[in-house]
PDB file of all heavy atoms in Angstrom:
ATOM      1  N   ASN A   7     -26.730 -20.374  30.959  1.00 44.00           N
ATOM      2  CA  ASN A   7     -26.237 -19.237  30.185  1.00 44.00           C
ATOM      3  C   ASN A   7     -24.792 -19.487  29.758  1.00 44.00           C
ATOM      4  O   ASN A   7     -23.956 -19.876  30.568  1.00 44.00           O
ATOM      5  CB  ASN A   7     -26.282 -17.949  31.024  1.00 44.00           C
ATOM      6  CG  ASN A   7     -27.709 -17.520  31.258  1.00 44.00           C
ATOM      7  OD1 ASN A   7     -28.589 -17.829  30.455  1.00 44.00           O
ATOM      8  ND2 ASN A   7     -27.938 -16.829  32.353  1.00 44.00           N
ATOM      9  N   GLU A   8     -24.557 -19.290  28.457  1.00 46.00           N
ATOM     10  CA  GLU A   8     -23.182 -19.429  27.991  1.00 46.00           C
ATOM     11  C   GLU A   8     -22.424 -18.152  28.290  1.00 46.00           C
ATOM     12  O   GLU A   8     -22.966 -17.053  28.196  1.00 46.00           O
ATOM     13  CB  GLU A   8     -23.170 -19.701  26.483  1.00 46.00           C
ATOM     14  CG  GLU A   8     -23.581 -21.132  26.194  1.00 46.00           C
ATOM     15  CD  GLU A   8     -23.857 -21.366  24.720  1.00 46.00           C
ATOM     16  OE1 GLU A   8     -23.538 -20.492  23.915  1.00 46.00           O
ATOM     17  OE2 GLU A   8     -24.383 -22.437  24.408  1.00 46.00           O
ATOM     18  N   ILE A   9     -21.209 -18.354  28.667  1.00 48.00           N
ATOM     19  CA  ILE A   9     -20.403 -17.177  28.997  1.00 48.00           C
ATOM     20  C   ILE A   9     -19.646 -16.748  27.743  1.00 48.00           C
ATOM     21  O   ILE A   9     -18.864 -17.509  27.185  1.00 48.00           O
ATOM     22  CB  ILE A   9     -19.418 -17.485  30.141  1.00 48.00           C
ATOM     23  CG1 ILE A   9     -20.215 -17.865  31.396  1.00 48.00           C
ATOM     24  CG2 ILE A   9     -18.526 -16.284  30.413  1.00 48.00           C
ATOM     25  CD1 ILE A   9     -19.373 -18.496  32.473  1.00 48.00           C
ATOM     26  N   ASN A  10     -19.957 -15.566  27.263  1.00 47.00           N
ATOM     27  CA  ASN A  10     -19.248 -15.069  26.085  1.00 47.00           C
ATOM     28  C   ASN A  10     -17.914 -14.468  26.509  1.00 47.00           C
ATOM     29  O   ASN A  10     -17.834 -13.800  27.529  1.00 47.00           O
ATOM     30  CB  ASN A  10     -20.062 -13.970  25.402  1.00 47.00           C
ATOM     31  CG  ASN A  10     -21.304 -14.546  24.765  1.00 47.00           C
ATOM     32  OD1 ASN A  10     -21.259 -15.609  24.167  1.00 47.00           O
ATOM     33  ND2 ASN A  10     -22.415 -13.853  24.928  1.00 47.00           N
ATOM     34  N   PRO A  11     -16.885 -14.719  25.692  1.00 48.00           N
ATOM     35  CA  PRO A  11     -15.626 -14.045  26.004  1.00 48.00           C
ATOM     36  C   PRO A  11     -15.842 -12.534  25.891  1.00 48.00           C
ATOM     37  O   PRO A  11     -16.614 -12.071  25.061  1.00 48.00           O
ATOM     38  CB  PRO A  11     -14.665 -14.549  24.934  1.00 48.00           C
ATOM     39  CG  PRO A  11     -15.516 -15.083  23.839  1.00 48.00           C
ATOM     40  CD  PRO A  11     -16.826 -15.504  24.471  1.00 48.00           C
ATOM     41  N   VAL A  12     -15.182 -11.799  26.727  1.00 50.00           N
ATOM     42  CA  VAL A  12     -15.325 -10.347  26.689  1.00 50.00           C
ATOM     43  C   VAL A  12     -14.647  -9.837  25.425  1.00 50.00           C
ATOM     44  O   VAL A  12     -13.458 -10.040  25.214  1.00 50.00           O
ATOM     45  CB  VAL A  12     -14.676  -9.702  27.934  1.00 50.00           C
ATOM     46  CG1 VAL A  12     -14.816  -8.185  27.872  1.00 50.00           C
ATOM     47  CG2 VAL A  12     -15.317 -10.244  29.195  1.00 50.00           C
ATOM     48  N   ALA A  13     -15.448  -9.247  24.551  1.00 54.00           N
ATOM     49  CA  ALA A  13     -14.876  -8.715  23.317  1.00 54.00           C
ATOM     50  C   ALA A  13     -14.059  -7.464  23.640  1.00 54.00           C
ATOM     51  O   ALA A  13     -14.504  -6.608  24.389  1.00 54.00           O
ATOM     52  CB  ALA A  13     -15.986  -8.372  22.348  1.00 54.00           C
ATOM     53  N   VAL A  14     -12.864  -7.407  23.063  1.00 64.00           N
ATOM     54  CA  VAL A  14     -12.062  -6.195  23.230  1.00 64.00           C
ATOM     55  C   VAL A  14     -12.665  -5.148  22.304  1.00 64.00           C
ATOM     56  O   VAL A  14     -12.856  -5.389  21.119  1.00 64.00           O
ATOM     57  CB  VAL A  14     -10.587  -6.453  22.857  1.00 64.00           C
ATOM     58  CG1 VAL A  14      -9.770  -5.171  22.980  1.00 64.00           C
ATOM     59  CG2 VAL A  14     -10.008  -7.541  23.733  1.00 64.00           C
ATOM     60  N   GLU A  15     -12.993  -4.016  22.861  1.00 81.00           N
ATOM     61  CA  GLU A  15     -13.657  -2.994  22.056  1.00 81.00           C
ATOM     62  C   GLU A  15     -12.707  -2.451  20.986  1.00 81.00           C
ATOM     63  O   GLU A  15     -11.589  -2.043  21.288  1.00 81.00           O
ATOM     64  CB  GLU A  15     -14.126  -1.846  22.955  1.00 81.00           C
ATOM     65  CG  GLU A  15     -14.991  -0.861  22.195  1.00 81.00           C
ATOM     66  CD  GLU A  15     -14.790   0.586  22.656  1.00 81.00           C
ATOM     67  OE1 GLU A  15     -14.002   0.829  23.577  1.00 81.00           O
ATOM     68  OE2 GLU A  15     -15.414   1.459  22.042  1.00 81.00           O
ATOM     69  N   ASP A  16     -13.156  -2.483  19.725  1.00 91.00           N
ATOM     70  CA  ASP A  16     -12.386  -1.885  18.631  1.00 91.00           C
ATOM     71  C   ASP A  16     -12.986  -0.500  18.412  1.00 91.00           C
ATOM     72  O   ASP A  16     -14.058  -0.370  17.831  1.00 91.00           O
ATOM     73  CB  ASP A  16     -12.520  -2.767  17.378  1.00 91.00           C
ATOM     74  CG  ASP A  16     -11.657  -2.285  16.224  1.00 91.00           C
ATOM     75  OD1 ASP A  16     -10.976  -1.256  16.376  1.00 91.00           O
ATOM     76  OD2 ASP A  16     -11.668  -2.952  15.178  1.00 91.00           O
ATOM     77  N   PHE A  17     -12.284   0.525  18.902  1.00 95.00           N
ATOM     78  CA  PHE A  17     -12.879   1.864  18.829  1.00 95.00           C
ATOM     79  C   PHE A  17     -12.798   2.454  17.427  1.00 95.00           C
ATOM     80  O   PHE A  17     -13.399   3.481  17.141  1.00 95.00           O
ATOM     81  CB  PHE A  17     -12.249   2.809  19.874  1.00 95.00           C
ATOM     82  CG  PHE A  17     -10.785   3.079  19.686  1.00 95.00           C
ATOM     83  CD1 PHE A  17     -10.342   4.013  18.765  1.00 95.00           C
ATOM     84  CD2 PHE A  17      -9.837   2.399  20.457  1.00 95.00           C
ATOM     85  CE1 PHE A  17      -8.995   4.267  18.595  1.00 95.00           C
ATOM     86  CE2 PHE A  17      -8.477   2.650  20.291  1.00 95.00           C
ATOM     87  CZ  PHE A  17      -8.060   3.584  19.361  1.00 95.00           C
ATOM     88  N   LEU A  18     -12.035   1.802  16.528  1.00 96.00           N
ATOM     89  CA  LEU A  18     -11.932   2.290  15.157  1.00 96.00           C
ATOM     90  C   LEU A  18     -12.112   1.118  14.186  1.00 96.00           C
ATOM     91  O   LEU A  18     -11.157   0.672  13.552  1.00 96.00           O
ATOM     92  CB  LEU A  18     -10.571   2.975  14.952  1.00 96.00           C
ATOM     93  CG  LEU A  18     -10.334   3.631  13.591  1.00 96.00           C
ATOM     94  CD1 LEU A  18     -11.300   4.783  13.352  1.00 96.00           C
ATOM     95  CD2 LEU A  18      -8.884   4.110  13.481  1.00 96.00           C
ATOM     96  N   PRO A  19     -13.342   0.584  14.087  1.00 95.00           N
ATOM     97  CA  PRO A  19     -13.527  -0.553  13.166  1.00 95.00           C
ATOM     98  C   PRO A  19     -13.354  -0.113  11.717  1.00 95.00           C
ATOM     99  O   PRO A  19     -14.002   0.832  11.261  1.00 95.00           O
ATOM    100  CB  PRO A  19     -14.961  -1.020  13.440  1.00 95.00           C
ATOM    101  CG  PRO A  19     -15.629   0.077  14.192  1.00 95.00           C
ATOM    102  CD  PRO A  19     -14.590   0.972  14.770  1.00 95.00           C
ATOM    103  N   LEU A  20     -12.451  -0.779  10.999  1.00 97.00           N
ATOM    104  CA  LEU A  20     -12.163  -0.434   9.601  1.00 97.00           C
ATOM    105  C   LEU A  20     -12.671  -1.560   8.711  1.00 97.00           C
ATOM    106  O   LEU A  20     -12.431  -2.729   8.989  1.00 97.00           O
ATOM    107  CB  LEU A  20     -10.651  -0.258   9.393  1.00 97.00           C
ATOM    108  CG  LEU A  20      -9.972   0.815  10.250  1.00 97.00           C
ATOM    109  CD1 LEU A  20      -8.457   0.811  10.001  1.00 97.00           C
ATOM    110  CD2 LEU A  20     -10.544   2.199   9.969  1.00 97.00           C
ATOM    111  N   ASN A  21     -13.367  -1.199   7.639  1.00 96.00           N
ATOM    112  CA  ASN A  21     -13.866  -2.212   6.701  1.00 96.00           C
ATOM    113  C   ASN A  21     -12.831  -2.576   5.651  1.00 96.00           C
ATOM    114  O   ASN A  21     -13.011  -3.544   4.912  1.00 96.00           O
ATOM    115  CB  ASN A  21     -15.127  -1.700   6.011  1.00 96.00           C
ATOM    116  CG  ASN A  21     -16.237  -1.400   7.004  1.00 96.00           C
ATOM    117  OD1 ASN A  21     -16.376  -2.094   8.004  1.00 96.00           O
ATOM    118  ND2 ASN A  21     -17.002  -0.363   6.746  1.00 96.00           N
ATOM    119  N   GLY A  22     -11.784  -1.782   5.542  1.00 96.00           N
ATOM    120  CA  GLY A  22     -10.741  -2.059   4.557  1.00 96.00           C
ATOM    121  C   GLY A  22     -10.169  -0.760   4.020  1.00 96.00           C
ATOM    122  O   GLY A  22     -10.484   0.323   4.522  1.00 96.00           O
ATOM    123  N   THR A  23      -9.321  -0.890   2.991  1.00 97.00           N
ATOM    124  CA  THR A  23      -8.761   0.292   2.340  1.00 97.00           C
ATOM    125  C   THR A  23      -9.801   0.809   1.348  1.00 97.00           C
ATOM    126  O   THR A  23     -10.289   0.046   0.520  1.00 97.00           O
ATOM    127  CB  THR A  23      -7.473  -0.087   1.587  1.00 97.00           C
ATOM    128  OG1 THR A  23      -6.602  -0.761   2.506  1.00 97.00           O
ATOM    129  CG2 THR A  23      -6.757   1.137   1.030  1.00 97.00           C
ATOM    130  N   ASP A  24     -10.141   2.084   1.424  1.00 98.00           N
ATOM    131  CA  ASP A  24     -11.157   2.625   0.508  1.00 98.00           C
ATOM    132  C   ASP A  24     -10.527   3.056  -0.814  1.00 98.00           C
ATOM    133  O   ASP A  24     -10.985   2.691  -1.880  1.00 98.00           O
ATOM    134  CB  ASP A  24     -11.888   3.795   1.170  1.00 98.00           C
ATOM    135  CG  ASP A  24     -13.151   4.156   0.408  1.00 98.00           C
ATOM    136  OD1 ASP A  24     -13.052   4.791  -0.659  1.00 98.00           O
ATOM    137  OD2 ASP A  24     -14.237   3.772   0.863  1.00 98.00           O
ATOM    138  N   TYR A  25      -9.488   3.872  -0.739  1.00 98.00           N
ATOM    139  CA  TYR A  25      -8.738   4.252  -1.940  1.00 98.00           C
ATOM    140  C   TYR A  25      -7.362   4.737  -1.532  1.00 98.00           C
ATOM    141  O   TYR A  25      -7.106   5.010  -0.357  1.00 98.00           O
ATOM    142  CB  TYR A  25      -9.465   5.332  -2.763  1.00 98.00           C
ATOM    143  CG  TYR A  25      -9.638   6.680  -2.084  1.00 98.00           C
ATOM    144  CD1 TYR A  25      -8.671   7.687  -2.203  1.00 98.00           C
ATOM    145  CD2 TYR A  25     -10.768   6.973  -1.331  1.00 98.00           C
ATOM    146  CE1 TYR A  25      -8.831   8.926  -1.586  1.00 98.00           C
ATOM    147  CE2 TYR A  25     -10.940   8.204  -0.722  1.00 98.00           C
ATOM    148  CZ  TYR A  25      -9.967   9.180  -0.854  1.00 98.00           C
ATOM    149  OH  TYR A  25     -10.119  10.399  -0.249  1.00 98.00           O
ATOM    150  N   VAL A  26      -6.462   4.782  -2.496  1.00 98.00           N
ATOM    151  CA  VAL A  26      -5.125   5.331  -2.286  1.00 98.00           C
ATOM    152  C   VAL A  26      -4.962   6.459  -3.291  1.00 98.00           C
ATOM    153  O   VAL A  26      -5.140   6.243  -4.496  1.00 98.00           O
ATOM    154  CB  VAL A  26      -4.031   4.266  -2.516  1.00 98.00           C
ATOM    155  CG1 VAL A  26      -2.645   4.853  -2.287  1.00 98.00           C
ATOM    156  CG2 VAL A  26      -4.253   3.057  -1.614  1.00 98.00           C
ATOM    157  N   GLU A  27      -4.671   7.664  -2.814  1.00 98.00           N
ATOM    158  CA  GLU A  27      -4.507   8.797  -3.731  1.00 98.00           C
ATOM    159  C   GLU A  27      -3.039   9.164  -3.854  1.00 98.00           C
ATOM    160  O   GLU A  27      -2.356   9.386  -2.861  1.00 98.00           O
ATOM    161  CB  GLU A  27      -5.293  10.019  -3.244  1.00 98.00           C
ATOM    162  CG  GLU A  27      -5.184  11.196  -4.225  1.00 98.00           C
ATOM    163  CD  GLU A  27      -6.147  12.341  -3.927  1.00 98.00           C
ATOM    164  OE1 GLU A  27      -6.712  12.365  -2.812  1.00 98.00           O
ATOM    165  OE2 GLU A  27      -6.322  13.201  -4.808  1.00 98.00           O
ATOM    166  N   LEU A  28      -2.583   9.208  -5.110  1.00 98.00           N
ATOM    167  CA  LEU A  28      -1.214   9.633  -5.385  1.00 98.00           C
ATOM    168  C   LEU A  28      -1.248  11.029  -5.983  1.00 98.00           C
ATOM    169  O   LEU A  28      -2.089  11.317  -6.856  1.00 98.00           O
ATOM    170  CB  LEU A  28      -0.537   8.682  -6.382  1.00 98.00           C
ATOM    171  CG  LEU A  28      -0.262   7.264  -5.905  1.00 98.00           C
ATOM    172  CD1 LEU A  28      -1.415   6.338  -6.244  1.00 98.00           C
ATOM    173  CD2 LEU A  28       1.011   6.731  -6.542  1.00 98.00           C
ATOM    174  N   TYR A  29      -0.354  11.886  -5.530  1.00 98.00           N
ATOM    175  CA  TYR A  29      -0.138  13.164  -6.186  1.00 98.00           C
ATOM    176  C   TYR A  29       0.948  12.930  -7.236  1.00 98.00           C
ATOM    177  O   TYR A  29       2.056  12.477  -6.899  1.00 98.00           O
ATOM    178  CB  TYR A  29       0.309  14.226  -5.186  1.00 98.00           C
ATOM    179  CG  TYR A  29      -0.793  14.763  -4.293  1.00 98.00           C
ATOM    180  CD1 TYR A  29      -0.493  15.654  -3.260  1.00 98.00           C
ATOM    181  CD2 TYR A  29      -2.127  14.406  -4.484  1.00 98.00           C
ATOM    182  CE1 TYR A  29      -1.484  16.168  -2.437  1.00 98.00           C
ATOM    183  CE2 TYR A  29      -3.126  14.912  -3.665  1.00 98.00           C
ATOM    184  CZ  TYR A  29      -2.793  15.796  -2.636  1.00 98.00           C
ATOM    185  OH  TYR A  29      -3.780  16.300  -1.822  1.00 98.00           O
TER     186      TYR A  29
END
Side-chain angles (χ1 to χ4, degrees):
N7 290 333
E8 285 168 11
I9 298 166
N10 291 319
V12 179
V14 178
E15 188 215 359
D16 185 358
F17 63 81
L18 184 64
L20 301 176
N21 300 325
T23 307
D24 194 284
Y25 64 90
V26 180
E27 183 169 15
L28 293 92
Y29 285 175

